Amino acid sequence: MIAAIKPTGANTRGLLAYLYGPGRHDEHLDPHIVAGFAMLGMPDPGRNPDATLTQLARHLDEPVHLRNSEFGKKTTDHVWHCPVRAAPEDRHLSDTEWAVIAQRIVEAAGIAPPGDDLGCRWIAVRHADDHIHILATTVREDGRRPRLHGSGIRVGDACRKIETDYGLRQLKKGDRTAGKRPTQAEMHKAQRLGWEQTSRDWLQDRIRAAIPHASNAEELLAYLEADGIAIKPRRGPSGDLLGYAVGRPGDLNKDGEQIFHPGGRIAPDLTLPKLKARLETTAPEEHPTARRQRPTTPWHQATDALDTLHQGMADDTDAQAHITALGELIEATAQKAPDHFRAELRTAARTFTRAQRSQIRAEHQAAHTLRRATRDIAHTAVGPDGSAFAALLAALVWATIVAARWHEAKNHAHQAEAARQALHHLHAAADHALVPVLDTLAARQPSDQARRTLAHDVRAAAPDHADRILTDPAWTALATVLADAEAGGHKPHQLLKEAAARRELGTARQPARVLITRIQHTSRNPAPNRRAEAARLRSVSASAVGTPSPNDQPRTTAAPTSQPSRHRR
């Protein structure tokens, strides 16, 4: 059951005309009052032809007029409107049941507190089977204004209890992190102009798409302006940016002026302070050696960053930061992915936005590595090769699973559901990306003897999952990957063990596919020669103390001894 409190207004008669009218598409049938304040005491215009809407409006507005005459100042925000709607699959509720529900809603909101005879005047009008509209005038009988702060949360809690009491569909409890739903006016305007999205939804998508490209708020606004979006910055006397609003091209008011929306009204996490916290984190300077050892492509770099994501989930503020950065990475990947993947990945990014924010404050500095990888992808001009792209998508799948589990553990119901929905789209993209990789690998499978040897490695490295891996249709392709890795100097047993440790296989739908992308990523470079590395280190150490290395010794013509070396085997 959803109770959506609407912005206040001043036209009681106008709202009544809508509630008792035919509706915008003739959807209003038999409008009538099912409940009201204790002293309603007048006929229902929906059932009595002699009663008028004007009379009802005056009756509801009487405390407002008395307050205006007493204080000599007109009250212009006294109309409180709250539609209450049951889910489509819920049973048909009677007028008597809707009356009790309406009473519980106005009590929870503070419109008419229980046991208070001087509360506000209100009525509940039913003009459809599945919902009612509650209209109240927010001046009490004693002339005071009601205390409505936090009424949305209280009404939401009342709805959850009503659902339980009446056996209705159970919705998740709100946590004040949801974005504002489009208003009827916004939806009708979008429909009239032929837009698929309302202006606020359209602007939200554009801002989120720009975030991976910017390292500070000024860059973000410049990027949006270059994309054709109207920008209205708010600056202090020093020129510092204090706030911003954005406008969709063609979204004009009745006077032909551009309509602007502040960031905080587009989404709770798009206020200027929150954007600055995300964008302007200072990453620690890298050691030059670390920069040299960074993977050659942003796609590999992002996969490596996701590999360590689970290590940053122990602290709640760090975990929230990593999940926020994960959403940015999904968005950047969608922008740079091959054309036939973009729609699925953009849907995943849009769905994941609710999972990016919770009541836990994010320590964004903790996710600097993941965010740096995201920006590198956003600024790259080169698309990924097939195996690198498949590995990144597989890593995104696992990271989203980790995010969903964290939200579930914290009882973040809406965020966990958003992560699960995004996971569905990421799975589809990852499966699609792996098809050509599997075909190429299966076409050059190793010999039967080599596969038997590799199967032994699988049983030794992952005994609990060996049967599922070896019966997976992708096992032949995995055997090819392991054979390639062994040719590059890696040990298949060790690679399997490390891959299984990085991504638990119990929940994997197809474990062999998970191992393929993981092992291809970790074995893409030849294994280091440990003896050569040890010799190099000895040489460097000797040079540091001024001792000539063995290669610097003078050559001798003495005959070699026949004594065998102690290193010979």
Side-chain angles (χ1 to χ4, degrees), residues 530-560:
R530 295 183 179 179
R531 290 186 178 181
E533 181 66 13
R536 185 188 69 80
L537 291 174
R538 285 198 302 270
S539 176
V540 171
S541 177
S543 299
V545 297
T547 303
S549 69
N551 292 334
D552 295 331
Q553 297 296 321
R555 297 179 63 178
T556 177
T557 57

Side-chain angles (χ1 to χ4, degrees), residues 353-398:
T353 56
R354 185 63 194 279
Q356 287 182 268
R357 56 183 184 263
S358 73
Q359 290 286 9
I360 295 176
R361 182 188 61 84
E363 183 57 57
H364 292 290
Q365 176 68 30
H368 66 85
T369 301
L370 188 56
R371 187 162 281 112
R372 181 179 59 207
T374 297
R375 289 175 182 166
D376 286 348
I377 284 181
H379 292 112
T380 186
V382 181
D385 62 49
S387 62
F389 185 57
L392 176 56
L393 291 184
L396 286 172
V397 166
W398 175 237

Side-chain angles (χ1 to χ4, degrees), residues 133-150:
H133 290 259
I134 303 174
L135 183 158
T137 51
T138 56
V139 174
R140 293 165 47 86
E141 297 291 344
D142 57 9
R144 295 185 294 119
R145 302 300 297 269
R147 296 180 179 179
L148 300 179
H149 180 71

Side-chain angles (χ1 to χ4, degrees), residues 127-262:
H127 55 208
D129 288 339
D130 62 348
H131 70 278
I132 59 172
H133 290 259
I134 303 174
L135 183 158
T137 51
T138 56
V139 174
R140 293 165 47 86
E141 297 291 344
D142 57 9
R144 295 185 294 119
R145 302 300 297 269
R147 296 180 179 179
L148 300 179
H149 180 71
S151 60
I153 294 295
R154 297 194 300 272
V155 167
D157 292 342
C159 286
R160 303 295 80 78
K161 187 68 168 60
I162 290 168
E163 290 162 356
T164 301
D165 294 344
Y166 285 82
L168 306 178
R169 177 185 173 186
Q170 293 282 304
L171 300 182
K172 299 175 180 65
K173 185 177 180 180
D175 61 358
R176 297 189 179 187
T177 63
K180 293 184 177 179
R181 291 194 175 116
T183 65
Q184 289 284 343
E186 288 175 324
M187 291 190 289
H188 290 171
K189 184 174 187 177
Q191 185 179 19
R192 185 175 69 252
L193 296 176
W195 293 341
E196 294 183 358
Q197 294 176 289
T198 63
S199 289
R200 283 192 292 126
D201 286 345
W202 186 88
L203 289 166
Q204 179 177 180
D205 284 352
R206 296 308 182 278
I207 295 173
R208 294 195 189 282
I211 287 174
H213 297 266
S215 59
N216 57 60
E218 296 283 5
E219 281 186 15
L220 178 67
L221 296 186
Y223 187 94
L224 292 171
E225 190 169 27
D227 198 31
I229 295 171
I231 303 296
K232 187 178 181 181
R234 180 168 58 86
R235 300 185 182 277
S238 63
D240 291 341
L241 187 64
L242 302 179
Y244 78 101
V246 289
R248 180 179 188 174
D251 187 12
L252 309 177
N253 62 18
K254 62 181 180 180
D255 298 322
E257 300 169 334
Q258 176 70 58
I259 295 175
F260 287 94
H261 301 271

Side-chain angles (χ1 to χ4, degrees), residues 495-558:
L495 287 174
L496 286 163
K497 195 171 182 179
E498 292 175 357
R502 286 181 182 272
R503 202 280 200 206
E504 57 90 5
L505 301 176
T507 58
R509 298 176 303 161
Q510 296 171 299
R513 292 187 175 212
V514 171
L515 292 171
I516 285 170
T517 55
R518 168 57 40 217
I519 292 173
Q520 274 193 322
H521 177 72
T522 56
S523 66
R524 66 189 184 278
N525 296 320
N529 186 316
R530 295 183 179 179
R531 290 186 178 181
E533 181 66 13
R536 185 188 69 80
L537 291 174
R538 285 198 302 270
S539 176
V540 171
S541 177
S543 299
V545 297
T547 303
S549 69
N551 292 334
D552 295 331
Q553 297 296 321
R555 297 179 63 178
T556 177
T557 57

Side-chain angles (χ1 to χ4, degrees), residues 399-413:
T400 305
I401 292 173
V402 171
R405 290 178 177 176
W406 182 80
H407 279 309
E408 288 171 353
K410 299 299 175 183
N411 294 318
H412 300 163

